[in-house]
Amino acid sequence: GENVEQHPSTLSVQEGDSAVIKCTYSDSASNYFPWYKQELGKRPQLIIDIRSNVGEKKDQRIAVTLNKTAKHFSLHITETQPEDSAVYFCAAPRQGAQKLVFGQGTRLTINP
Amino acid sequence: DTGVSQNPRHKITKRGQNVTFRCDPISEHNRLYWYRQTLGQGPEFLTYFQNEAQLEKSRLLSDRFSAERPKGSFSTLEIQRTEQGDSAMYLCAYPRPLLTGELFFGEGSRLTVL
């Protein structure tokens, strides 16, 4: 089945700097890679996703890149702001099963 | 408005008691998922329904857990003889229409077993 590894587990950056979170997956047939943001006490919310037919997708300050050969994808946040502080999760679908497998999460802290 | 209502939002119980959580999608969805999230971890798949049929159950779902979706709309998740290890957030989710793959989560029901 699909295995998703996420790094780093914690990340602290200065406000205005960039943050990068990386995930690797094991199933080469996976074709959909979402990123979720979870604030304290709240539900996980989708912030961006990418499908395997593209290598990069951008939405304002956030972007996701996908390397299918290496089986890894990354979340990039530029010009970080205090409200970006949260836990971020990557995920990938488990083929043959209708579900997402999540990474372990990255706690991002933006220091003012 | 998250599109999914979960109740209760927080349940504190003593070990050995039974608890039941309910998930009410705001609109009809063929598929409905239950995930569990323990502190500091990502959501873990428990089970999912296609209409009223329960199509897959995770190994995490021991015999003490049972889920139902009797009319293909709301769903319940019951935990019998709760253990401290059951303490977690139980999340209900459904796939977004027209967007294959995305799961939309409810606010969750937090269980604390003393």
Side-chain angles (χ1 to χ4, degrees):
Chain A
E2 180 69 280
N3 187 40
V4 178
E5 297 287 334
Q6 183 172 346
H7 300 279
S9 57
T10 60
L11 180 60
S12 183
V13 301
Q14 288 299 120
E15 183 178 351
D17 289 349
S18 296
V20 181
I21 304 170
K22 299 181 179 180
C23 283
T24 60
Y25 60 97
S26 59
D27 189 343
S28 57
S30 291
N31 57 5
Y32 173 71
F33 306 94
W35 285 91
Y36 284 78
K37 176 183 180 181
Q38 187 173 29
E39 297 176 348
L40 190 63
K42 301 285 186 66
R43 63 185 176 90
Q45 291 185 274
L46 180 79
I47 55 171
I48 195 167
D49 55 15
I50 191 168
R51 301 189 185 279
S52 58
N53 58 344
V54 297
E56 183 175 0
K57 183 177 177 181
K58 192 173 182 180
D59 183 3
Q60 299 182 347
R61 295 187 298 107
I62 61 173
V64 55
T65 58
L66 172 64
N67 184 327
K68 290 170 57 180
T69 303
K71 289 191 285 187
H72 69 70
F73 57 110
S74 300
L75 176 71
H76 304 253
I77 307 174
T78 59
E79 300 172 24
T80 53
Q81 300 171 3
E83 55 264 35
D84 295 329
S85 294
V87 181
Y88 292 81
F89 295 98
C90 62
R94 179 182 162 190
Q95 293 306 310
Q98 304 292 324
K99 66 185 186 186
L100 288 176
V101 178
F102 285 82
Q104 300 90 334
T106 297
R107 179 173 298 281
L108 175 63
T109 302
I110 308 302
N111 301 309
Chain B
D1 181 8
T2 67
V4 176
S5 175
Q6 290 192 246
N7 290 286
R9 294 293 310 280
H10 196 176
K11 178 72 176 180
I12 301 173
T13 190
K14 292 182 179 179
R15 189 174 50 187
Q17 298 296 304
N18 299 343
V19 296
T20 299
F21 300 115
R22 179 172 168 131
C23 171
D24 284 90
I26 300 301
S27 55
E28 290 195 6
H29 301 282
N30 290 341
R31 287 198 213 137
L32 185 147
Y33 295 75
W34 284 98
Y35 276 74
R36 182 181 75 178
Q37 187 176 26
T38 53
L39 202 61
Q41 300 296 316
E44 297 172 293
F45 171 79
L46 291 180
T47 188
Y48 92 98
F49 292 85
Q50 177 78 26
N51 298 315
E52 65 273 13
Q54 188 174 17
L55 295 189
E56 185 177 347
K57 293 194 294 185
S58 162
R59 285 173 291 181
L60 293 174
L61 223 61
S62 73
D63 292 345
R64 298 183 296 103
F65 288 71
S66 62
E68 295 183 342
R69 197 182 183 201
K71 297 182 180 179
S73 56
F74 73 92
S75 178
T76 58
L77 177 68
E78 181 183 16
I79 310 173
Q80 296 182 327
R81 304 181 303 282
T82 52
E83 302 173 356
Q84 287 186 324
D86 298 331
S87 295
M89 177 76 84
Y90 292 85
L91 294 160
C92 176
Y94 66 88
R96 286 274 207 188
L98 305 179
L99 293 174
T100 302
E102 178 191 351
L103 283 181
F104 189 90
F105 288 95
E107 295 291 350
S109 293
R110 179 169 295 283
L111 173 64
T112 302
V113 182
L114 302 176

